[in-house]
Amino acid sequence: MSARDADVAVIGLGTMGSMAAWRLTGAGADVIGFEQYGVAHDRGAAGGESRLFRTAYHEGSEYVPMLRRAREMWVELTRASGRPLFTPTGCLSIGLPDIDPMRNVRASIEEHDLEHETLDPDALAHRFPQHAPAAGEIGILDTAGGMLRPELAVLTAAVLARTAGARLFERTPVLAVEPEDDGVAVVTAERTWRARRAVVTTGPWVRELVPSAEVTPKPIVLTWFAPIDVRAYHPGVFPAFIRDTDGHHLFGCPVMDGVSVKAGVADVWPPLTDARELTRDLPEDAIAPVMRSVQRFLPGLHPSPIRHEVHLDGYTADRTALIGPVPGMPDVIVLAGFSGHGFKMAPVFGSIAADLALRGGTGFDIARMDPARFPARFAPGGGAAPAPADH
Ligand SMILES: Cc1cc2nc3c(=O)[nH]c(=O)nc-3n(C[C@H](O)[C@H](O)[C@H](O)COP(=O)(O)OP(=O)(O)OC[C@H]3O[C@@H](n4cnc5c(N)ncnc54)[C@H](O)[C@@H]3O)c2cc1C
């Protein structure tokens, strides 16, 4: 056996990798980490200024225990770092009461006794006139919801990991991860590193190192709109929101930059076969759907965006992440495929990565996230068509 460089190598220091490095060092592990770009860069899944945090969950009530723990961790991290990582604005879900997302929101509330306010159509129109009403729609305000600062959160976790002794190498792409007799070899252009275990958190790029991972890279377009009266969209009066109406899936956050509201729609661009194909130049017709949604549902915003960004996330066919040992490679733990809704739980996923790498198990229920659950690769443009993206 060759001498080891560290207990654990973390590959990809974006959302999940930075949190994993932080939690691993917190558990006393000797950590090395590698990022192909700089920490908190804007080409992956962590860019775009803000992320919605919700506990009453459109995607299913089974996430609530993780979401509750995540909220505690965000509050702790915000306090400990002195940085505004989490802003408790609440999160408003809007839709007809009997659509699946709203049923799941109610199930989350009922099964887990979550604090909330239910707004009937009149109360919704009166309390949040920024949202144009549609017949019969209600609002459910998740009072534990809010918004997160993704770039700052990634940077904070990486700084904390470094302060605790992690050696994190930026602009250092990993070329291969290879199992060895009693550990893993991590190959970079400069040298090969050895660790007891590897945590692969390379997001939309995951198939380059773990070809069996059933993850498809998919662009998400974000757009920012200037309000006619900016005072009506500040965090104190305008919660983060998510809305499903007549096939429109619209989400957004209050003003954070003093001038604009972020609003986005799902599924504007088709999936990519390779994350490196991403172009960040947006054809004009790609913005048209969000402009239509904003014009209809947020009439207090000028309907032409003042800026846009294109980011990537990795999607699985069932929109549930892959978390666990790579089939056939027990010392390589993969966390990928967060399918448009993973950021809010990132500190918990970091803890789970540390649990799996150091103890071989976790107290969180991750059975449904087993990386071995897909019998065949999810083909971009084929197979099961993804449902609208979550956030
Ligand atoms: C625009 C957008 C909006 C979203 N909104 C929300 C929201 O409101 N709420 C929510 O909860 N979730 C949201 N999500 C989802 C969430 O942000 C993602 O699920 C999450 O950030 C995924 O993190 P990740 O660690 O898998 O990927 P990333 O954060 O992209 O991390 C992967 C890292 O690996 C690095 N890497 C890749 N290959 C290599 C290599 N070979 N060597 C070294 N480094 C490598 C990359 O450079 C990158 O830094 C959104 C996603 C997007 C894109």
Side-chain angles (χ1 to χ4, degrees):
M1 189 198 73
S2 336
R4 280 195 200 124
D5 298 292
D7 300 327
V8 183
V10 179
I11 302 163
L13 299 170
T15 311
M16 305 306 165
S18 64
M19 295 288 165
W22 169 50
R23 293 325 309 142
L24 279 159
T25 53
D30 181 17
V31 174
I32 49 176
F34 304 91
E35 167 54 49
Q36 64 179 346
Y37 302 121
V39 165
H41 67 86
D42 65 352
R43 292 161 188 243
E49 186 183 81
S50 58
R51 290 287 182 273
L52 276 69
F53 181 88
R54 303 173 274 125
T55 53
Y57 215 44
H58 288 224
E59 294 78 358
S61 58
E62 64 277 14
Y63 283 97
V64 174
M66 279 185 188
L67 291 161
R68 277 186 149 154
R69 178 64 191 130
R71 192 182 193 280
E72 289 169 1
M73 293 180 80
W74 283 120
V75 169
E76 280 164 26
L77 199 54
T78 298
R79 196 176 298 132
S81 66
R83 290 173 162 171
L85 305 183
F86 176 63
T87 308
T89 62
C91 186
L92 179 66
S93 292
I94 301 175
L96 289 171
D98 58 351
I99 61 174
D100 282 347
M102 294 299 267
R103 281 185 211 275
N104 286 338
V105 165
R106 284 209 308 279
S108 302
I109 289 168
E110 283 157 20
E111 290 167 26
H112 298 276
D113 195 21
L114 300 181
E115 271 188 40
H116 72 287
E117 291 177 47
T118 300
L119 305 171
D120 65 21
D122 287 344
L124 178 62
H126 179 72
R127 173 101 171 262
F128 296 114
Q130 301 93 333
H131 295 279
E137 283 191 328
I138 62 163
I140 300 179
L141 182 63
D142 173 359
T143 50
M147 59 184 186
L148 298 161
R149 303 298 303 247
E151 299 90 347
L152 202 54
V154 167
L155 191 62
T156 300
V159 166
L160 290 173
R162 269 196 175 123
T163 306
R167 288 164 287 157
L168 305 183
F169 302 101
E170 301 181 50
R171 294 171 190 83
T172 308
V174 168
L175 306 177
V177 185
E178 290 160 0
E180 297 197 321
D181 282 350
D182 187 23
V184 291
V186 175
V187 182
T188 68
E190 292 77 29
R191 59 164 284 195
T192 294
W193 300 78
R194 293 195 157 75
R196 175 69 192 89
R197 295 220 162 84
V199 169
V200 179
T201 42
T202 48
W205 294 265
V206 67
R207 271 165 34 193
E208 294 178 358
L209 297 179
V210 182
S212 65
E214 300 285 343
V215 172
T216 300
K218 195 173 162 197
I220 302 179
V221 177
L222 295 177
T223 25
W224 283 261
F225 296 85
I228 294 161
D229 177 3
V230 75
R231 290 166 304 180
Y233 297 87
H234 281 153
V237 290
F238 186 68
F241 68 92
I242 182 163
R243 176 172 196 162
D244 287 282
T245 306
D246 295 345
H248 295 256
H249 176 84
L250 185 65
F251 60 90
C253 286
V255 169
M256 305 188 74
D257 60 357
V259 293
S260 66
V261 169
K262 185 179 97 173
V265 293
D267 288 318
V268 173
W269 276 7
L272 306 177
T273 43
D274 180 339
R276 297 195 192 273
E277 286 169 6
L278 180 73
T279 163
R280 300 203 282 176
D281 289 334
L282 199 59
E284 202 56 32
D285 60 357
I287 301 179
V290 70
M291 286 177 62
R292 278 196 294 273
S293 294
V294 164
Q295 198 158 20
R296 179 165 165 199
F297 298 118
L298 293 165
L301 305 182
H302 292 284
S304 281
I306 60 170
R307 66 186 165 103
H308 72 260
E309 293 180 10
V310 184
H311 299 281
L312 272 180
D313 200 3
Y315 281 70
T316 62
D318 59 8
R319 300 214 167 205
T320 302
L322 308 180
I323 300 184
V326 174
M329 297 168 77
D331 291 325
V332 180
I333 315 294
V334 68
L335 291 91
F338 291 91
S339 304
H341 67 116
F343 199 90
K344 62 182 78 61
M345 291 170 274
V348 166
F349 291 134
S351 295
I352 291 173
D355 289 344
L356 295 177
L358 301 178
R359 297 197 285 110
T362 177
F364 289 97
D365 179 7
I366 56 167
R368 66 188 182 285
M369 301 175 182
D370 184 354
R373 70 184 180 278
F374 293 117
R377 181 179 299 288
F378 170 57
D390 315 299
H391 296 87

PDB file of all heavy atoms in Angstrom, residues 11-41:
ATOM      1  N   ILE A  11     -13.766  15.875  -4.414  1.00  0.00           N
ATOM      2  CA  ILE A  11     -13.531  16.262  -5.811  1.00  0.00           C
ATOM      3  C   ILE A  11     -14.718  17.079  -6.296  1.00  0.00           C
ATOM      4  O   ILE A  11     -15.841  16.577  -6.369  1.00  0.00           O
ATOM      5  CB  ILE A  11     -13.315  15.005  -6.670  1.00  0.00           C
ATOM      6  CG1 ILE A  11     -12.134  14.234  -6.102  1.00  0.00           C
ATOM      7  CG2 ILE A  11     -13.088  15.395  -8.129  1.00  0.00           C
ATOM      8  CD1 ILE A  11     -12.056  12.818  -6.572  1.00  0.00           C
ATOM      9  N   GLY A  12     -14.458  18.360  -6.617  1.00  0.00           N
ATOM     10  CA  GLY A  12     -15.507  19.299  -6.994  1.00  0.00           C
ATOM     11  C   GLY A  12     -15.920  20.093  -5.770  1.00  0.00           C
ATOM     12  O   GLY A  12     -16.640  19.585  -4.907  1.00  0.00           O
ATOM     13  N   LEU A  13     -15.445  21.346  -5.678  1.00  0.00           N
ATOM     14  CA  LEU A  13     -15.726  22.162  -4.479  1.00  0.00           C
ATOM     15  C   LEU A  13     -16.800  23.203  -4.783  1.00  0.00           C
ATOM     16  O   LEU A  13     -16.634  24.393  -4.552  1.00  0.00           O
ATOM     17  CB  LEU A  13     -14.437  22.822  -3.980  1.00  0.00           C
ATOM     18  CG  LEU A  13     -13.344  21.823  -3.573  1.00  0.00           C
ATOM     19  CD1 LEU A  13     -12.030  22.537  -3.324  1.00  0.00           C
ATOM     20  CD2 LEU A  13     -13.776  21.031  -2.333  1.00  0.00           C
ATOM     21  N   GLY A  14     -17.917  22.726  -5.360  1.00  0.00           N
ATOM     22  CA  GLY A  14     -19.076  23.601  -5.565  1.00  0.00           C
ATOM     23  C   GLY A  14     -19.977  23.505  -4.346  1.00  0.00           C
ATOM     24  O   GLY A  14     -19.513  23.508  -3.199  1.00  0.00           O
ATOM     25  N   THR A  15     -21.264  23.385  -4.589  1.00  0.00           N
ATOM     26  CA  THR A  15     -22.240  23.383  -3.496  1.00  0.00           C
ATOM     27  C   THR A  15     -21.971  22.259  -2.499  1.00  0.00           C
ATOM     28  O   THR A  15     -21.726  22.486  -1.315  1.00  0.00           O
ATOM     29  CB  THR A  15     -23.659  23.195  -4.084  1.00  0.00           C
ATOM     30  OG1 THR A  15     -23.844  24.104  -5.157  1.00  0.00           O
ATOM     31  CG2 THR A  15     -24.715  23.414  -3.029  1.00  0.00           C
ATOM     32  N   MET A  16     -22.055  21.041  -2.965  1.00  0.00           N
ATOM     33  CA  MET A  16     -21.982  19.904  -2.040  1.00  0.00           C
ATOM     34  C   MET A  16     -20.540  19.635  -1.592  1.00  0.00           C
ATOM     35  O   MET A  16     -20.306  19.240  -0.445  1.00  0.00           O
ATOM     36  CB  MET A  16     -22.585  18.647  -2.686  1.00  0.00           C
ATOM     37  CG  MET A  16     -23.998  18.837  -3.191  1.00  0.00           C
ATOM     38  SD  MET A  16     -25.134  19.484  -1.922  1.00  0.00           S
ATOM     39  CE  MET A  16     -26.517  20.010  -2.966  1.00  0.00           C
ATOM     40  N   GLY A  17     -19.589  19.862  -2.492  1.00  0.00           N
ATOM     41  CA  GLY A  17     -18.195  19.589  -2.136  1.00  0.00           C
ATOM     42  C   GLY A  17     -17.675  20.528  -1.066  1.00  0.00           C
ATOM     43  O   GLY A  17     -16.962  20.114  -0.144  1.00  0.00           O
ATOM     44  N   SER A  18     -18.048  21.818  -1.159  1.00  0.00           N
ATOM     45  CA  SER A  18     -17.570  22.761  -0.131  1.00  0.00           C
ATOM     46  C   SER A  18     -18.180  22.395   1.221  1.00  0.00           C
ATOM     47  O   SER A  18     -17.491  22.434   2.250  1.00  0.00           O
ATOM     48  CB  SER A  18     -17.925  24.206  -0.517  1.00  0.00           C
ATOM     49  OG  SER A  18     -19.324  24.377  -0.550  1.00  0.00           O
ATOM     50  N   MET A  19     -19.466  22.023   1.203  1.00  0.00           N
ATOM     51  CA  MET A  19     -20.126  21.638   2.465  1.00  0.00           C
ATOM     52  C   MET A  19     -19.532  20.333   3.004  1.00  0.00           C
ATOM     53  O   MET A  19     -19.365  20.166   4.219  1.00  0.00           O
ATOM     54  CB  MET A  19     -21.639  21.476   2.239  1.00  0.00           C
ATOM     55  CG  MET A  19     -22.326  22.764   1.873  1.00  0.00           C
ATOM     56  SD  MET A  19     -22.462  23.905   3.274  1.00  0.00           S
ATOM     57  CE  MET A  19     -22.880  25.433   2.416  1.00  0.00           C
ATOM     58  N   ALA A  20     -19.224  19.394   2.111  1.00  0.00           N
ATOM     59  CA  ALA A  20     -18.621  18.123   2.550  1.00  0.00           C
ATOM     60  C   ALA A  20     -17.258  18.381   3.188  1.00  0.00           C
ATOM     61  O   ALA A  20     -16.936  17.824   4.255  1.00  0.00           O
ATOM     62  CB  ALA A  20     -18.494  17.167   1.364  1.00  0.00           C
ATOM     63  N   ALA A  21     -16.450  19.245   2.570  1.00  0.00           N
ATOM     64  CA  ALA A  21     -15.119  19.539   3.117  1.00  0.00           C
ATOM     65  C   ALA A  21     -15.256  20.172   4.504  1.00  0.00           C
ATOM     66  O   ALA A  21     -14.527  19.829   5.444  1.00  0.00           O
ATOM     67  CB  ALA A  21     -14.357  20.471   2.172  1.00  0.00           C
ATOM     68  N   TRP A  22     -16.233  21.075   4.635  1.00  0.00           N
ATOM     69  CA  TRP A  22     -16.477  21.736   5.933  1.00  0.00           C
ATOM     70  C   TRP A  22     -16.882  20.706   6.991  1.00  0.00           C
ATOM     71  O   TRP A  22     -16.329  20.671   8.096  1.00  0.00           O
ATOM     72  CB  TRP A  22     -17.564  22.798   5.733  1.00  0.00           C
ATOM     73  CG  TRP A  22     -18.112  23.396   6.990  1.00  0.00           C
ATOM     74  CD1 TRP A  22     -17.392  23.912   8.035  1.00  0.00           C
ATOM     75  CD2 TRP A  22     -19.496  23.533   7.334  1.00  0.00           C
ATOM     76  NE1 TRP A  22     -18.261  24.360   9.013  1.00  0.00           N
ATOM     77  CE2 TRP A  22     -19.545  24.147   8.611  1.00  0.00           C
ATOM     78  CE3 TRP A  22     -20.697  23.222   6.682  1.00  0.00           C
ATOM     79  CZ2 TRP A  22     -20.756  24.434   9.251  1.00  0.00           C
ATOM     80  CZ3 TRP A  22     -21.895  23.516   7.313  1.00  0.00           C
ATOM     81  CH2 TRP A  22     -21.916  24.114   8.584  1.00  0.00           C
ATOM     82  N   ARG A  23     -17.829  19.838   6.668  1.00  0.00           N
ATOM     83  CA  ARG A  23     -18.294  18.866   7.659  1.00  0.00           C
ATOM     84  C   ARG A  23     -17.230  17.790   7.930  1.00  0.00           C
ATOM     85  O   ARG A  23     -17.126  17.283   9.052  1.00  0.00           O
ATOM     86  CB  ARG A  23     -19.602  18.202   7.220  1.00  0.00           C
ATOM     87  CG  ARG A  23     -20.823  19.106   7.155  1.00  0.00           C
ATOM     88  CD  ARG A  23     -20.886  20.202   8.213  1.00  0.00           C
ATOM     89  NE  ARG A  23     -20.695  19.730   9.576  1.00  0.00           N
ATOM     90  CZ  ARG A  23     -20.013  20.384  10.537  1.00  0.00           C
ATOM     91  NH1 ARG A  23     -19.446  21.548  10.280  1.00  0.00           N
ATOM     92  NH2 ARG A  23     -19.892  19.880  11.734  1.00  0.00           N
ATOM     93  N   LEU A  24     -16.467  17.420   6.929  1.00  0.00           N
ATOM     94  CA  LEU A  24     -15.404  16.423   7.149  1.00  0.00           C
ATOM     95  C   LEU A  24     -14.344  16.972   8.102  1.00  0.00           C
ATOM     96  O   LEU A  24     -13.908  16.282   9.028  1.00  0.00           O
ATOM     97  CB  LEU A  24     -14.757  16.040   5.810  1.00  0.00           C
ATOM     98  CG  LEU A  24     -15.529  15.012   4.978  1.00  0.00           C
ATOM     99  CD1 LEU A  24     -15.111  15.093   3.510  1.00  0.00           C
ATOM    100  CD2 LEU A  24     -15.311  13.600   5.514  1.00  0.00           C
ATOM    101  N   THR A  25     -13.928  18.220   7.885  1.00  0.00           N
ATOM    102  CA  THR A  25     -12.927  18.780   8.805  1.00  0.00           C
ATOM    103  C   THR A  25     -13.540  18.947  10.187  1.00  0.00           C
ATOM    104  O   THR A  25     -12.865  18.743  11.207  1.00  0.00           O
ATOM    105  CB  THR A  25     -12.366  20.132   8.303  1.00  0.00           C
ATOM    106  OG1 THR A  25     -13.453  21.011   8.033  1.00  0.00           O
ATOM    107  CG2 THR A  25     -11.517  19.962   7.071  1.00  0.00           C
ATOM    108  N   GLY A  26     -14.825  19.278  10.236  1.00  0.00           N
ATOM    109  CA  GLY A  26     -15.515  19.399  11.528  1.00  0.00           C
ATOM    110  C   GLY A  26     -15.505  18.087  12.294  1.00  0.00           C
ATOM    111  O   GLY A  26     -15.526  18.074  13.527  1.00  0.00           O
ATOM    112  N   ALA A  27     -15.480  16.985  11.559  1.00  0.00           N
ATOM    113  CA  ALA A  27     -15.448  15.655  12.201  1.00  0.00           C
ATOM    114  C   ALA A  27     -14.014  15.201  12.452  1.00  0.00           C
ATOM    115  O   ALA A  27     -13.785  14.049  12.853  1.00  0.00           O
ATOM    116  CB  ALA A  27     -16.180  14.644  11.322  1.00  0.00           C
ATOM    117  N   GLY A  28     -13.050  16.069  12.185  1.00  0.00           N
ATOM    118  CA  GLY A  28     -11.654  15.758  12.513  1.00  0.00           C
ATOM    119  C   GLY A  28     -10.876  15.071  11.397  1.00  0.00           C
ATOM    120  O   GLY A  28      -9.735  14.628  11.618  1.00  0.00           O
ATOM    121  N   ALA A  29     -11.442  14.999  10.201  1.00  0.00           N
ATOM    122  CA  ALA A  29     -10.741  14.295   9.114  1.00  0.00           C
ATOM    123  C   ALA A  29      -9.669  15.183   8.475  1.00  0.00           C
ATOM    124  O   ALA A  29      -9.791  16.413   8.453  1.00  0.00           O
ATOM    125  CB  ALA A  29     -11.744  13.867   8.052  1.00  0.00           C
ATOM    126  N   ASP A  30      -8.639  14.518   7.958  1.00  0.00           N
ATOM    127  CA  ASP A  30      -7.618  15.198   7.158  1.00  0.00           C
ATOM    128  C   ASP A  30      -8.126  15.189   5.709  1.00  0.00           C
ATOM    129  O   ASP A  30      -8.349  14.118   5.126  1.00  0.00           O
ATOM    130  CB  ASP A  30      -6.291  14.432   7.297  1.00  0.00           C
ATOM    131  CG  ASP A  30      -5.175  15.097   6.520  1.00  0.00           C
ATOM    132  OD1 ASP A  30      -5.325  16.274   6.157  1.00  0.00           O
ATOM    133  OD2 ASP A  30      -4.154  14.421   6.260  1.00  0.00           O
ATOM    134  N   VAL A  31      -8.327  16.376   5.141  1.00  0.00           N
ATOM    135  CA  VAL A  31      -9.052  16.497   3.870  1.00  0.00           C
ATOM    136  C   VAL A  31      -8.193  17.180   2.819  1.00  0.00           C
ATOM    137  O   VAL A  31      -7.546  18.196   3.092  1.00  0.00           O
ATOM    138  CB  VAL A  31     -10.350  17.319   4.094  1.00  0.00           C
ATOM    139  CG1 VAL A  31     -11.061  17.596   2.778  1.00  0.00           C
ATOM    140  CG2 VAL A  31     -11.281  16.599   5.061  1.00  0.00           C
ATOM    141  N   ILE A  32      -8.221  16.623   1.598  1.00  0.00           N
ATOM    142  CA  ILE A  32      -7.730  17.370   0.436  1.00  0.00           C
ATOM    143  C   ILE A  32      -8.918  17.569  -0.503  1.00  0.00           C
ATOM    144  O   ILE A  32      -9.849  16.747  -0.528  1.00  0.00           O
ATOM    145  CB  ILE A  32      -6.571  16.648  -0.306  1.00  0.00           C
ATOM    146  CG1 ILE A  32      -6.914  15.175  -0.571  1.00  0.00           C
ATOM    147  CG2 ILE A  32      -5.263  16.783   0.461  1.00  0.00           C
ATOM    148  CD1 ILE A  32      -5.863  14.440  -1.391  1.00  0.00           C
ATOM    149  N   GLY A  33      -8.914  18.675  -1.239  1.00  0.00           N
ATOM    150  CA  GLY A  33     -10.042  18.935  -2.130  1.00  0.00           C
ATOM    151  C   GLY A  33      -9.549  19.573  -3.424  1.00  0.00           C
ATOM    152  O   GLY A  33      -8.516  20.248  -3.450  1.00  0.00           O
ATOM    153  N   PHE A  34     -10.332  19.347  -4.484  1.00  0.00           N
ATOM    154  CA  PHE A  34      -9.925  19.802  -5.825  1.00  0.00           C
ATOM    155  C   PHE A  34     -11.115  20.469  -6.518  1.00  0.00           C
ATOM    156  O   PHE A  34     -12.222  19.930  -6.529  1.00  0.00           O
ATOM    157  CB  PHE A  34      -9.464  18.600  -6.667  1.00  0.00           C
ATOM    158  CG  PHE A  34      -8.367  17.824  -6.008  1.00  0.00           C
ATOM    159  CD1 PHE A  34      -8.670  16.749  -5.167  1.00  0.00           C
ATOM    160  CD2 PHE A  34      -7.034  18.177  -6.184  1.00  0.00           C
ATOM    161  CE1 PHE A  34      -7.655  16.037  -4.532  1.00  0.00           C
ATOM    162  CE2 PHE A  34      -6.022  17.474  -5.550  1.00  0.00           C
ATOM    163  CZ  PHE A  34      -6.336  16.395  -4.724  1.00  0.00           C
ATOM    164  N   GLU A  35     -10.860  21.631  -7.128  1.00  0.00           N
ATOM    165  CA  GLU A  35     -11.894  22.344  -7.880  1.00  0.00           C
ATOM    166  C   GLU A  35     -11.320  22.735  -9.245  1.00  0.00           C
ATOM    167  O   GLU A  35     -10.232  23.312  -9.315  1.00  0.00           O
ATOM    168  CB  GLU A  35     -12.351  23.577  -7.088  1.00  0.00           C
ATOM    169  CG  GLU A  35     -13.187  24.574  -7.864  1.00  0.00           C
ATOM    170  CD  GLU A  35     -14.410  23.968  -8.548  1.00  0.00           C
ATOM    171  OE1 GLU A  35     -15.168  23.231  -7.899  1.00  0.00           O
ATOM    172  OE2 GLU A  35     -14.587  24.222  -9.769  1.00  0.00           O
ATOM    173  N   GLN A  36     -12.072  22.431 -10.297  1.00  0.00           N
ATOM    174  CA  GLN A  36     -11.539  22.703 -11.642  1.00  0.00           C
ATOM    175  C   GLN A  36     -11.432  24.201 -11.932  1.00  0.00           C
ATOM    176  O   GLN A  36     -10.581  24.614 -12.719  1.00  0.00           O
ATOM    177  CB  GLN A  36     -12.395  22.008 -12.706  1.00  0.00           C
ATOM    178  CG  GLN A  36     -13.828  22.511 -12.794  1.00  0.00           C
ATOM    179  CD  GLN A  36     -14.642  21.821 -13.866  1.00  0.00           C
ATOM    180  OE1 GLN A  36     -14.081  21.136 -14.726  1.00  0.00           O
ATOM    181  NE2 GLN A  36     -15.957  21.967 -13.844  1.00  0.00           N
ATOM    182  N   TYR A  37     -12.336  25.017 -11.338  1.00  0.00           N
ATOM    183  CA  TYR A  37     -12.255  26.475 -11.489  1.00  0.00           C
ATOM    184  C   TYR A  37     -11.871  27.057 -10.122  1.00  0.00           C
ATOM    185  O   TYR A  37     -11.308  26.355  -9.296  1.00  0.00           O
ATOM    186  CB  TYR A  37     -13.595  27.034 -11.974  1.00  0.00           C
ATOM    187  CG  TYR A  37     -14.085  26.464 -13.290  1.00  0.00           C
ATOM    188  CD1 TYR A  37     -15.307  25.810 -13.386  1.00  0.00           C
ATOM    189  CD2 TYR A  37     -13.310  26.562 -14.445  1.00  0.00           C
ATOM    190  CE1 TYR A  37     -15.761  25.291 -14.597  1.00  0.00           C
ATOM    191  CE2 TYR A  37     -13.756  26.044 -15.662  1.00  0.00           C
ATOM    192  CZ  TYR A  37     -14.983  25.405 -15.726  1.00  0.00           C
ATOM    193  OH  TYR A  37     -15.415  24.892 -16.922  1.00  0.00           O
ATOM    194  N   GLY A  38     -12.217  28.331  -9.875  1.00  0.00           N
ATOM    195  CA  GLY A  38     -11.996  28.894  -8.539  1.00  0.00           C
ATOM    196  C   GLY A  38     -13.184  28.567  -7.631  1.00  0.00           C
ATOM    197  O   GLY A  38     -14.295  28.348  -8.117  1.00  0.00           O
ATOM    198  N   VAL A  39     -12.963  28.560  -6.321  1.00  0.00           N
ATOM    199  CA  VAL A  39     -14.081  28.318  -5.395  1.00  0.00           C
ATOM    200  C   VAL A  39     -15.112  29.440  -5.558  1.00  0.00           C
ATOM    201  O   VAL A  39     -14.754  30.612  -5.635  1.00  0.00           O
ATOM    202  CB  VAL A  39     -13.560  28.250  -3.940  1.00  0.00           C
ATOM    203  CG1 VAL A  39     -14.701  28.380  -2.941  1.00  0.00           C
ATOM    204  CG2 VAL A  39     -12.814  26.940  -3.715  1.00  0.00           C
ATOM    205  N   ALA A  40     -16.402  29.063  -5.623  1.00  0.00           N
ATOM    206  CA  ALA A  40     -17.538  29.993  -5.788  1.00  0.00           C
ATOM    207  C   ALA A  40     -17.579  30.622  -7.184  1.00  0.00           C
ATOM    208  O   ALA A  40     -18.084  31.734  -7.360  1.00  0.00           O
ATOM    209  CB  ALA A  40     -17.564  31.059  -4.694  1.00  0.00           C
ATOM    210  N   HIS A  41     -17.095  29.899  -8.175  1.00  0.00           N
ATOM    211  CA  HIS A  41     -17.201  30.370  -9.572  1.00  0.00           C
ATOM    212  C   HIS A  41     -18.675  30.329 -10.017  1.00  0.00           C
ATOM    213  O   HIS A  41     -19.531  29.796  -9.300  1.00  0.00           O
ATOM    214  CB  HIS A  41     -16.340  29.485 -10.486  1.00  0.00           C
ATOM    215  CG  HIS A  41     -16.863  28.080 -10.602  1.00  0.00           C
ATOM    216  ND1 HIS A  41     -17.813  27.720 -11.519  1.00  0.00           N
ATOM    217  CD2 HIS A  41     -16.599  26.955  -9.883  1.00  0.00           C
ATOM    218  CE1 HIS A  41     -18.098  26.441 -11.389  1.00  0.00           C
ATOM    219  NE2 HIS A  41     -17.381  25.952 -10.398  1.00  0.00           N
TER     220      HIS A  41
END
